Amino acid sequence: MNIRNLLLILPVILTLSCQEQKYADALSPEASMATFDLHEDFVIELFAAEPHVWDPVEMVFDEKGGAYVVEMPDYPYKPEEGKGRGRIRLLKDTNGDGMVDESVIFAEGLPDATSMLPWKGGLIVTSAPHIYYLKDTDRDEKADVKEVLFEGFFENNSEAQITNLRFGLDNWIYAANNGQPGDVSYLRKPEAGKISMRGADFRFRLDTDEFELESGTAQFGHTLDDWNNKFFTQNTLHLQQAVIPRRYLERHGHLSSLNVNLNISDHDFEMFQQTPPPYWRAERTRRRNIQYQEQKLDRVEHAEKYFTGASGGTVYNGDAFPEAFRGNIFTGEVAGNLIHRDVLVKNPNDPVFTAQRAAEEKTREFLASTDPWFRPTSFAIGPDGYLYVLDFYRQHIETPVSIPDDLKAEMDFMYGENHGRIYRIRPKNESERRPATVDLSKASTSQLIELLAHPNGWYRSNAQRLLLEKGAPENQTSLDDIIQNHETPQTRLHAAYVLEAWGLLTAGHVDTLLTHTHPEVLRHGLQLAERFPPLKPTIQKLSAHENATVALQALLSLGNHTDKESLETLALHLAKRGENRWYRTAILSAKGVTEPIFLTALFEKAGFGSTEDTWKEEVIRETAYILGSNGEKKSLETYTQYVTKAGEAWQKAGLDGLSKGLKKHEETKPELKVFLDALAENTENPAELLKLITSNL
């Protein structure tokens, strides 16, 4: 080769060399597993790999023990109309050695399919903008029924679309929507109209044809614990709790904010990553930090060791792990190539959880890999009680629109699309692996009722779902006995919700739950008591319960009532407990908070006007907002009567809330504009302005 030709090809050689250094290539499943640094009490083994699974994002075991996997080969691009390549595979272990050796395509051509839930012999599947019901009716292991259940969900970002279907303890099916917009309708009940999804997640029931908004803005990682507490993931916030269900927040429709998301991590964003950041992320971060410095912004971006791709958070409620791991939440970090574990702690004096690192993981992760292709997107609990890890296994996992063009030019976002792994994590000290073989499809009603007490949550949840699907038998006295006498609190609740699904739950059943000592049994008893008006005195009594979880739920449930006694009780508790954000929100969401009776009780019976603590200013501001938004003159006059007698700080807080609430009426009541303009320009005499605005409503 002459020197001229060498000089011509040298830049190409150097470019290829640089690219090889920038981005590692794939490893075999065995080589990748060798890079895992796992908690010393566990072993990890291969369950499935290519060619039997590609691009896995979620797996479920149905009642027959069948392992169905959603594959997302189109990620990160949106497929053309009618050309989606999303698949659902049924994985098979034909020789019983614990590894998948065969797979069947159950369904394909699904754009952006991301999650599934077994239902009546088929699968409910999220595939934006739809939720489908797929079923194999001719027993060839391929779906021949494809029904659109819901339509209208957001579909313009594969990382933030409808996903993570979860069957709840309360018989509702919950889904993550990331707060994305969309006008959603239910095709089995078109007369129900559409709901606007912006700012919320979603829940529905196919047995009762109900659907509604739910609190939280879960991205990809949405999980319910044994008690139906909801936790979720959003990229940089690896664990949040949705503290108050949406149905309570919408009762009068005038709260200033419906955001009840709470970051419950006590260790914030730090993680112990063993892989260096990929070249594109490090370079993008370097450029952004230069921009922040030039703009004199008090902001620093991190390229590593901080959560940026948290995904698939899952409560472990199996029975194979040691007791200390029950109720822990496992979260994948697809950018950091690791699995993080949180231990949930509940203080009886606080209605929310705290997520902590385990003592042995203060400076490490439950699992961390040095393979940059390891992308743990989600998890599943099997009938064997083990934790299954889904590894998307791609060279790159990121939305291309967020990467500068010059860096993007060196990246092939589809590289590795024919890879995928699923691992099984089990305790190291087991003498032999538990089998996952099971078939509940032929179980009798009595057998399913017995499984409501199984130590593995997979059995309990599936038994409850199957009992719901089967419908009520002629005799169900065994459930009465479980509610009254069973030693396991979870089992009592499963039994109660089976009766609820069958339409056989009585006030007597609920009253029994309300005498239990476990706070979560009491919480669910209170929610169910809302259906039985004679139980209102018990709800009212429990609002003073010493346990914060019970007290918060009692106040939420009491807020459905608008009688004088209930409103006075709520007012007393607002004055006593309102410093806590969650009690304050619970009470101010009550139906009757806009009634003069409540306002009078707040100031006269609860003595709210006697002191001017800072937190009380916030109550004054929010109450004023609610009343201004509601626009009922009598209530505003009552409120003004008391606030104008309070200190100037309260009056200003009241004006601030009132002006913001009244802005909702600018179009319907244009005469208010002159007073709102005056308010914006002059707050020297807030008491007079309050009276003036109220008198002109």
Side-chain angles (χ1 to χ4, degrees):
M1 179 180 296
N2 61 40
I3 190 68
R4 174 181 169 83
N5 290 339
L6 179 62
L7 291 173
L8 286 173
I9 68 169
L10 187 59
V12 176
I13 294 172
L14 291 174
T15 298
L16 289 172
S17 176
C18 289
Q19 288 185 16
E20 288 173 0
Q21 293 173 5
K22 286 178 183 175
Y23 303 117
D25 214 335
L27 299 176
S28 69
E30 294 74 21
S32 183
M33 290 172 63
T35 71
F36 294 167
D37 178 16
L38 175 65
H39 189 293
E40 58 273 11
D41 292 339
F42 295 86
V43 295
I44 187 166
E45 52 197 22
L46 189 66
F47 173 63
E50 62 270 7
H52 302 301
V53 62
W54 292 4
D55 310 305
V57 292
E58 190 161 278
M59 180 171 75
V60 294
F61 291 90
D62 73 357
E63 62 269 19
K64 296 180 181 180
Y68 289 86
V69 178
V70 176
E71 299 179 335
M72 202 175 180
D74 291 316
Y75 177 87
Y77 299 109
K78 183 171 180 58
E80 295 180 33
E81 186 73 28
K83 295 184 179 180
R85 297 186 298 142
R87 296 178 295 263
I88 297 175
R89 285 188 196 255
L90 172 60
L91 305 182
K92 296 185 176 186
D93 171 14
T94 62
N95 59 13
D97 67 351
M99 286 184 61
V100 170
D101 50 42
E102 185 179 320
S103 66
V104 175
I105 302 295
F106 175 77
E108 57 188 335
L110 299 169
D112 289 337
T114 53
S115 73
M116 305 161 292
L117 184 78
W119 184 259
K120 292 192 174 182
L123 295 171
I124 304 170
V125 178
T126 58
S127 178
H130 302 112
I131 296 179
Y132 294 108
Y133 177 59
L134 306 179
K135 188 173 183 178
D136 166 26
T137 62
D138 57 11
R139 300 185 180 181
D140 65 351
E141 298 182 326
K142 298 181 184 297
D144 50 77
V145 170
K146 184 179 181 182
E147 177 190 1
V148 177
L149 296 173
F150 297 93
E151 65 180 8
F153 291 102
F154 174 79
E155 56 176 325
N156 294 321
N157 182 348
S158 58
E159 292 185 1
Q161 296 180 172
I162 191 73
T163 189
N164 293 152
L165 295 168
R166 304 289 181 258
F167 182 73
L169 175 64
D170 58 358
N171 297 317
W172 285 78
I173 297 169
Y174 292 77
N177 181 62
N178 198 229
Q180 297 295 344
D183 294 318
V184 171
S185 57
Y186 179 38
L187 273 67
R188 288 184 180 177
K189 194 177 180 181
E191 68 275 14
K194 297 181 179 182
I195 59 172
S196 174
M197 292 300 306
R198 185 181 295 276
D201 283 340
F202 187 59
R203 73 173 193 161
F204 61 95
R205 288 184 67 162
L206 298 184
D207 60 324
T208 58
D209 290 331
E210 297 174 89
F211 62 106
E212 62 187 32
L213 303 179
E214 184 51 280
S215 294
T217 51
Q219 190 171 10
F220 191 84
H222 170 227
T223 188
L224 306 171
D225 69 4
D226 278 347
W227 312 106
N228 224 52
N229 291 297
K230 174 179 172 173
F231 306 95
F232 62 97
T233 299
Q234 283 179 313
N235 278 353
T236 58
L237 295 174
H238 76 276
L239 189 53
Q240 298 181 77
Q241 179 185 356
V243 181
I244 297 176
R246 181 77 172 220
R247 61 187 180 276
Y248 296 113
L249 304 175
E250 295 183 323
R251 287 182 288 197
H252 56 64
H254 299 291
L255 286 175
S256 63
S257 173
L258 301 181
N259 182 0
V260 290
N261 300 346
L262 179 66
N263 177 13
I264 62 172
S265 172
D266 71 352
H267 44 287
D268 290 327
F269 315 112
E270 188 177 12
M271 63 183 184
F272 299 103
Q273 181 177 350
Q274 293 193 13
T275 51
Y279 172 78
W280 69 263
R281 185 180 294 278
E283 177 60 17
R284 186 184 69 177
T285 298
R286 185 188 70 80
R287 295 177 190 181
R288 285 180 174 178
N289 284 330
I290 290 174
Q291 286 182 332
Y292 300 151
Q293 292 170 9
E294 290 174 347
Q295 297 169 7
K296 301 188 185 312
L297 298 176
D298 184 19
R299 182 178 176 183
V300 177
E301 182 175 297
H302 301 276
E304 60 182 323
K305 298 183 180 179
Y306 288 82
F307 286 99
T308 61
S311 178
T314 299
V315 169
Y316 177 78
N317 66 348
D319 62 340
F321 285 16
E323 185 61 29
F325 291 82
R326 184 181 292 272
N328 291 184
I329 293 184
F330 292 86
T331 303
E333 221 303 338
V334 296
N337 319 111
L338 57 84
I339 298 172
H340 178 77
R341 175 168 69 110
D342 283 289
V343 179
L344 296 181
V345 178
K346 192 72 174 289
N347 184 329
N349 299 316
D350 195 338
V352 298
F353 287 83
T354 299
Q356 302 176 345
R357 283 186 174 273
E360 68 269 34
E361 292 166 15
K362 296 294 186 182
T363 58
R364 57 167 294 181
E365 298 297 343
F366 179 77
L367 185 156
S369 173
T370 57
D371 181 0
W373 282 52
F374 177 57
R375 311 291 189 183
T377 55
S378 66
F379 306 85
I381 314 298
D384 49 16
Y386 299 139
L387 182 69
Y388 288 78
V389 182
L390 277 76
D391 179 3
F392 196 65
Y393 210 75
R394 283 270 188 99
Q395 188 178 64
H396 301 294
I397 188 164
E398 181 72 18
T399 304
V401 294
S402 67
I403 300 176
D405 289 343
D406 64 313
L407 299 179
K408 200 157 44 181
E410 301 178 325
M411 303 166 67
D412 179 357
F413 290 92
M414 303 305 294
Y415 189 50
E417 64 174 306
N418 57 347
H419 290 72
R421 287 89 192 261
I422 301 174
Y423 301 102
R424 177 173 49 232
I425 296 178
R426 60 186 183 90
K428 183 182 291 183
N429 61 3
E430 284 188 323
S431 57
E432 59 181 2
R433 178 174 48 81
R434 297 182 179 197
T437 307
V438 65
D439 188 356
L440 304 184
S441 63
K442 298 179 179 62
S444 66
T445 295
S446 60
Q447 289 172 325
L448 291 172
I449 288 174
E450 288 181 12
L451 289 174
L452 297 177
H454 199 283
N456 184 353
W458 181 89
Y459 278 93
R460 295 197 308 274
S461 180
N462 279 282
Q464 178 178 327
R465 175 180 60 82
L466 291 169
L467 286 166
L468 178 156
E469 294 174 6
K470 285 168 74 75
E474 292 184 5
N475 188 335
Q476 52 75 33
T477 54
S478 59
L479 289 174
D480 296 341
D481 183 62
I482 289 174
I483 291 173
Q484 293 175 10
N485 301 311
H486 204 281
E487 61 183 3
T488 308
Q490 292 102 319
T491 303
R492 292 197 187 202
L493 290 179
H494 283 295
Y497 280 111
V498 170
L499 288 176
E500 187 273 345
W502 289 348
L504 299 175
L505 187 73
T506 67
H509 294 128
V510 178
D511 198 36
T512 298
L513 296 177
L514 292 173
T515 63
H516 203 278
T517 57
H518 196 289
E520 292 288 1
V521 175
L522 287 171
R523 181 169 71 91
H524 281 275
L526 285 161
Q527 291 180 2
L528 292 168
E530 296 170 12
R531 308 169 186 218
F532 302 99
L535 294 177
K536 196 209 79 172
T538 305
I539 296 175
Q540 188 160 327
K541 178 182 177 182
L542 288 172
S543 67
H545 199 279
E546 61 183 6
N547 183 279
T549 295
V550 178
L552 179 67
Q553 182 57 55
L555 291 169
L556 287 166
S557 298
L558 190 62
N560 289 330
H561 297 272
T562 57
D563 60 282
K564 186 172 185 289
E565 185 181 27
S566 297
L567 294 179
E568 289 181 349
T569 300
L570 290 169
L572 288 167
H573 280 291
L574 182 57
K576 179 182 177 181
R577 301 174 182 261
E579 186 172 7
N580 182 289
R581 170 190 173 187
W582 306 113
Y583 288 125
R584 186 164 70 239
T585 302
I587 295 169
L588 290 178
S589 73
K591 278 184 180 179
V593 77
T594 58
E595 298 292 329
I597 294 173
F598 173 82
L599 300 169
T600 300
L602 183 63
F603 287 97
E604 293 191 359
K605 288 190 173 293
F608 199 79
S610 59
T611 59
E612 295 192 5
D613 298 323
T614 302
W615 68 266
K616 290 186 176 180
E617 286 184 29
E618 185 55 40
V619 173
I620 289 293
R621 182 178 289 104
E622 179 65 14
T623 305
Y625 178 91
I626 292 168
L627 295 174
S629 175
N630 187 46
E632 292 294 329
K633 185 172 182 179
K634 187 174 181 181
S635 296
L636 279 164
E637 287 176 340
T638 303
Y639 175 77
T640 304
Q641 169 191 338
Y642 291 108
V643 174
T644 52
K645 295 176 184 177
E648 185 176 343
W650 280 26
Q651 292 171 11
K652 287 185 175 181
L655 277 171
D656 180 45
L658 185 62
S659 65
K660 291 174 180 174
L662 286 171
K663 286 185 184 297
K664 288 189 174 183
H665 302 284
E666 282 185 290
E667 292 186 8
T668 57
K669 296 182 179 180
E671 67 272 16
L672 285 176
K673 191 174 188 309
V674 63
F675 301 105
L676 294 172
D677 289 344
L679 175 61
E681 296 172 5
N682 179 14
T683 57
E684 291 181 3
N685 195 335
E688 289 303 314
L689 275 172
L690 278 166
K691 291 178 182 178
L692 189 62
I693 292 173
T694 303
S695 65
N696 282 274
L697 285 171

